[in-house]
Amino acid sequence: MDRPTETARHEIDPVSYEVIRHKLWSINEEGSATMIHVSGSPVVHATDYNFGIYAADGEMAVIGVYLLVPIYTGYMAIKEFLARFDDIADGDVFIINDPYLAAEHQNDVQFCAPFFHEGKLVAWLGCMAHQVDLGGLDPGSWCPTATDVYQEGLRIPPGRIVRKGEVNRELWDVIIANSRMALTVSNDFSAFLAGLKVARQRLAELCNRYGGQTVARVMQQSIEGSERELRKRLAALPDGTFEHVSFLDRPSKGGTEVLKIACKLTKTADRLVFDFDDCDPQSAAYGMATRAGTVGAVATLMLCMFGSGIAWNHGLMRPVEFVARDGLCVTATPPVPVSGGAAGANWVAMCAAAGCLAKLVSFSPEYKDLAFGPGDGSWQLAQFGGINQYGEGFAAMYLDSLLWGGPAFSFRDGVDSGGAMVILGGGTQDVEQQEVGQPLLYLWRRELPDSGGAGRHRGGNGIEYAMTPIDTDGVTGVLASHGIKLPNRTGIFGGLPGSCARYEIVRNSDIANILASGRMVDRLDRIGGRYEVLGSVSAGVPVPRGDVVNIRLQNGGGYGDPLDREPEAVLRDVRNGSVSAEMARALYGVVIAGEAVDHAASEARRKEIRSNRLASMRAPRAGGGGSQPAHGGTAIPWGDSLVVHRHGHHAATVACRHCGATLGPLKEDWRDLAGVVTLKSGQLGPYVEVHDELVAEQFVCPGCAASLWVEVLSPKAPPAPDFMLAT
């Protein structure tokens, strides 16, 4: 086999370059569309899949807009194939799902096919999708009570599923024989091959027309262009370190414990280093992530934050370095179980990294609008198995949890039921399709008012959905998540966090008789039975006929002090049902009288909230500031909260951006200069809880009482500085 060689360094003329670049996107979309049409899996139809075109060395050249993390792990997989095999040939298709090498978890099976033109390796084509079941303890292969990886389902090392055009039937059959849903998985594999075949044919046509070397050069030129543009943007941002801490809550013998997941971002010139070395160690518990999954999560964040103005490809990762030693909760090593890591520690790591990037770009007048709080907080796994209404065995994962609310930005609210950042082009499952195939009846799938975080711009509200078994004696559920006892989707610059996740169940309800009578059901407390709140991880949960399960999501955090939100915007929210009148008064300080804002009462209420902040505030740790406006030096605004005044080689000073009062000299952490208010769960919103080991702190201006930042912290350790700008 000819190894990848350096393509000619000549530049492609602009017209040919754009024609070929857009044709590559078209090829990728056609391969993707073929795959989804051939697959009969409701998981694939809910867009838990992706398709990509890679350069000969494995770098991402064209990236689909569906599940993003495995696109980067596809690059890692191709690097494994290139390193392990010296006989890669035309017609080969490689397979892998080993999360310790190049996958989020075992369910994410990847097919990668080398593409040759005139005997030379020009590119790779790759696709993946979440498989509904690959064995393991629990139907669906998310195994939250597994104590080692060997209990979680089949692990497939790098190998060939097709060799020179011939299917490796022995390997295919071994994989299918280990699945409870053999037909669905086998059909997905056929869909993979169909998508790859179509994309290969179209890529061959393109290379026949323009030449394989020219097509390869277009891919490299596009990657280089994205890298160049990103480095240009990074160079315009201030150098320094930026830190953010989030937490993973998980079950323990005594209830729920928390793990720290901390990110320290160092920005130097045109480079970014994401350092996770201060994360807690791994343990045999639900939610551990492998290095592949965590690096893929960081890559996803880079694509989503900077990819709106730069072509999506590997150039957005070339200036990035990932640092973390092995054996952490974000870099788990065998035999630690990792089936839950696909939406566990790696997602919390993405939250921490998002906080760091938001703090960085908010110093830039040009790029501050890119800042957002954590886009995705937790995946509310809802997986059910048993015997369906046709007397057949089934295992189904419900992807309704993709309909969470988006984070707020400096210039707009978060999108209600806006979907997942990790699946930008995604959707969710069709209710009717699910009910036809699974023995569960939806009672509701609706947006939940007040579930987005309050702020000058509010976080988006997300959904809750309820189901009950029908035409079966019952099903068994696997319900697992984090963000139950703490909010991962924090607000920024004084905004409040979005709602926590929750699993609720009503046992032995009267739902069948209520439905038979034709009455509408819209509340859990109106169906009789015994109400329970389930823990963050519940495996093998019996859900017999008559029980009702309700699932609530984590949702987007707010941006800026809620007291700065325009009263008329709050009124619109109340009118359309996004915010309750009670929360409008409690969190936003806006009093609604009939169909209008009571401006006098609202002004009094906001004054009352500010007075309460000052009355309950602990004095700044570093003394205090002053009431005199800061002046002199270079003034650098930071989001809604601060203005940093730099005075040459002298220490910088920090001022409140709301009132202009000087808070004091910036030494290590600006929060040492702010007042601190400890917030209880009810002060954060109606659906936010804070674990007993943590505390929610609101950092306020001692002068005007503006909310500058709200964060969930561990009282056992001082918080890491939000930022330290280089001198």
Side-chain angles (χ1 to χ4, degrees), residues 142-159:
W142 294 70
C143 305
T145 59
T147 56
D148 61 50
V149 69
Y150 306 109
Q151 300 171 343
E152 294 187 303
L154 196 63
R155 222 161 102 215
I156 308 167

Side-chain angles (χ1 to χ4, degrees), residues 325-399:
R325 63 189 184 278
D326 286 338
L328 301 173
C329 59
V330 296
T331 54
T333 55
V336 167
V338 293
S339 64
N346 62 337
W347 276 27
V348 180
M350 185 161 50
C351 291
C356 293
L357 279 177
K359 293 168 185 177
L360 167 61
V361 300
S362 294
F363 278 108
S364 167
E366 186 175 1
Y367 300 121
K368 64 180 177 62
D369 287 347
L370 296 177
F372 56 85
D376 297 344
S378 62
W379 166 249
Q380 263 56 36
L381 175 64
Q383 194 157 269
F384 298 95
I387 303 299
N388 68 13
Q389 60 267 53
Y390 310 110
E392 304 165 339
F394 84 100
M397 181 174 69
Y398 283 72
L399 277 83

Side-chain angles (χ1 to χ4, degrees), residues 398-421:
Y398 283 72
L399 277 83
D400 305 71
S401 295
L402 293 175
L403 292 174
W404 51 67
F409 288 74
S410 65
F411 59 95
R412 68 163 173 83
D413 293 345
V415 179
D416 293 330
S417 304
M421 183 181 73

Side-chain angles (χ1 to χ4, degrees), residues 507-704:
R507 300 289 190 184
N508 300 313
S509 78
D510 196 34
I511 187 65
N513 291 328
I514 294 172
L515 293 176
S517 71
R519 285 178 286 160
M520 180 179 176
V521 179
D522 61 357
R523 286 174 49 169
L524 291 179
D525 61 358
R526 292 178 178 173
I527 59 175
R530 185 179 76 256
Y531 173 83
E532 297 177 14
V533 176
L534 298 176
S536 60
V537 172
S538 301
V541 179
V543 186
R545 187 195 304 267
D547 284 11
V548 174
V549 176
N550 188 62
I551 299 168
R552 191 177 74 212
L553 315 182
Q554 280 204 66
N555 292 294
Y559 187 109
D561 190 339
L563 300 185
D564 289 338
R565 186 164 178 81
E566 289 291 335
E568 296 302 320
V570 178
L571 175 63
R572 287 194 299 272
D573 287 338
V574 172
R575 283 177 170 173
N576 66 28
S578 299
V579 174
S580 66
E582 178 186 2
M583 289 300 110
R585 183 183 187 282
L587 302 181
Y588 293 98
V590 174
V591 179
I592 307 298
E595 292 294 314
V597 174
D598 185 330
H599 288 281
S602 297
E603 184 177 349
R605 172 60 183 153
R606 288 185 164 183
K607 183 177 180 180
E608 177 188 15
I609 293 174
R610 292 188 177 97
S611 296
N612 289 340
R613 288 176 182 174
L614 294 177
S616 58
M617 178 189 80
R618 301 194 301 277
R621 288 189 290 263
S627 59
Q628 297 301 315
H631 59 83
T634 303
I636 309 173
W638 187 57
D640 274 19
S641 298
L642 303 177
V643 178
V644 178
H645 293 266
R646 307 187 76 172
H647 309 276
H649 296 292
H650 300 287
T653 56
V654 176
C656 171
R657 194 169 185 190
H658 294 260
C659 67
T662 301
L663 301 181
L666 179 61
K667 295 180 180 178
E668 294 184 358
D669 187 353
W670 74 267
R671 288 173 292 191
D672 291 339
L673 306 171
V676 184
V677 178
T678 299
L679 299 177
K680 298 179 181 179
S681 295
Q683 296 174 291
L684 295 164
Y687 306 113
V688 180
E689 295 187 40
V690 179
H691 191 276
D692 292 341
E693 295 180 16
L694 303 173
V695 62
E697 305 277 42
Q698 182 179 45
F699 298 91
V700 303
C701 172
C704 68

Side-chain angles (χ1 to χ4, degrees), residues 452-537:
R456 178 171 66 86
H457 291 296
R458 67 169 178 84
N461 290 328
I463 69 160
E464 63 174 358
Y465 63 105
M467 298 180 296
T468 188
I470 191 170
D471 294 330
T472 186
D473 290 335
V475 300
T476 299
V478 178
L479 307 171
S481 185
H482 59 273
I484 298 283
K485 292 294 185 180
L486 60 94
N488 298 114
R489 303 195 64 186
T490 51
I492 56 178
F493 299 111
L496 299 182
S499 62
C500 290
R502 192 170 185 134
Y503 293 111
E504 302 169 304
I505 191 166
V506 177
R507 300 289 190 184
N508 300 313
S509 78
D510 196 34
I511 187 65
N513 291 328
I514 294 172
L515 293 176
S517 71
R519 285 178 286 160
M520 180 179 176
V521 179
D522 61 357
R523 286 174 49 169
L524 291 179
D525 61 358
R526 292 178 178 173
I527 59 175
R530 185 179 76 256
Y531 173 83
E532 297 177 14
V533 176
L534 298 176
S536 60
V537 172

Side-chain angles (χ1 to χ4, degrees), residues 32-380:
S32 174
T34 301
M35 190 180 94
I36 195 171
H37 286 306
V38 173
S39 170
S41 168
V43 175
V44 175
H45 281 263
T47 58
D48 194 346
Y49 78 97
N50 215 328
F51 204 99
I53 300 175
Y54 301 81
D57 63 357
E59 287 196 325
M60 303 175 291
V62 178
I63 301 167
V65 296
Y66 304 103
L67 184 60
L68 295 178
V69 176
I71 283 294
Y72 190 83
T73 59
Y75 156 71
M76 301 174 78
I78 292 169
K79 300 295 280 188
E80 286 287 335
F81 302 144
L82 288 169
R84 288 175 180 240
F85 301 98
D86 58 7
D87 60 344
I88 296 173
D90 194 11
D92 287 352
V93 178
F94 290 83
I95 185 173
I96 188 173
N97 82 332
D98 190 333
Y100 301 111
L101 293 176
E104 285 192 279
H105 62 164
Q106 295 91 320
N107 292 79
D108 289 346
V109 177
Q110 301 183 78
F111 279 26
C112 296
F115 174 80
F116 289 81
H117 186 258
E118 296 179 350
K120 294 187 179 298
L121 180 60
V122 173
W124 288 78
L125 299 167
C127 61
M128 62 71 56
H130 180 102
Q131 298 307 297
V132 294
D133 187 273
L134 290 174
L137 283 172
D138 299 302
S141 307
W142 294 70
C143 305
T145 59
T147 56
D148 61 50
V149 69
Y150 306 109
Q151 300 171 343
E152 294 187 303
L154 196 63
R155 222 161 102 215
I156 308 167
R160 292 179 177 89
I161 193 71
V162 178
R163 182 187 288 270
K164 296 183 179 180
E166 294 294 325
V167 172
N168 182 347
R169 180 56 60 184
E170 293 88 351
L171 177 57
W172 186 295
D173 289 345
V174 167
I175 298 170
I176 300 307
N178 279 274
S179 174
R180 298 173 178 86
M181 301 292 290
L183 180 62
T184 303
V185 173
S186 184
N187 195 58
D188 269 359
F189 284 9
S190 296
F192 289 177
L193 295 182
L196 292 172
K197 180 180 180 180
V198 168
R200 188 185 315 216
Q201 291 173 341
R202 298 294 180 263
L203 192 55
E205 294 167 2
L206 186 66
C207 289
N208 289 338
R209 180 171 184 178
Y210 292 97
Q213 186 180 48
T214 298
V215 172
R217 181 61 195 140
V218 167
M219 288 191 282
Q220 289 298 330
Q221 192 170 318
S222 178
I223 293 170
E224 291 163 1
S226 294
E227 177 189 8
R228 188 166 51 249
E229 181 59 31
L230 177 58
R231 290 189 185 277
K232 177 183 174 183
R233 294 187 180 204
L234 293 178
L237 296 171
D239 289 350
T241 59
F242 307 84
E243 300 188 49
H244 195 83
V245 176
S246 194
F247 298 91
L248 176 72
D249 55 326
R250 59 182 196 164
S252 67
K253 292 181 180 179
T256 304
E257 64 179 359
V258 294
L259 292 180
K260 180 181 71 172
I261 296 181
C263 181
K264 181 177 182 179
L265 173 65
T266 300
K267 187 269 170 183
T268 306
D270 59 358
R271 293 182 64 251
L272 296 175
V273 178
F274 291 90
D275 186 339
F276 289 91
D277 254 351
D278 196 31
C279 292
D280 281 343
Q282 67 182 20
S283 66
Y286 181 77
M288 299 298 99
T290 62
R291 181 179 297 272
T294 304
V295 177
V298 171
T300 296
L301 179 62
M302 290 297 297
L303 291 170
C304 293
M305 178 159 279
F306 295 105
S308 58
I310 302 175
W312 279 35
N313 56 49
H314 210 98
L316 290 167
M317 279 298 286
R318 281 186 173 180
V320 173
E321 180 182 352
F322 177 89
V323 174
R325 63 189 184 278
D326 286 338
L328 301 173
C329 59
V330 296
T331 54
T333 55
V336 167
V338 293
S339 64
N346 62 337
W347 276 27
V348 180
M350 185 161 50
C351 291
C356 293
L357 279 177
K359 293 168 185 177
L360 167 61
V361 300
S362 294
F363 278 108
S364 167
E366 186 175 1
Y367 300 121
K368 64 180 177 62
D369 287 347
L370 296 177
F372 56 85
D376 297 344
S378 62
W379 166 249
Q380 263 56 36

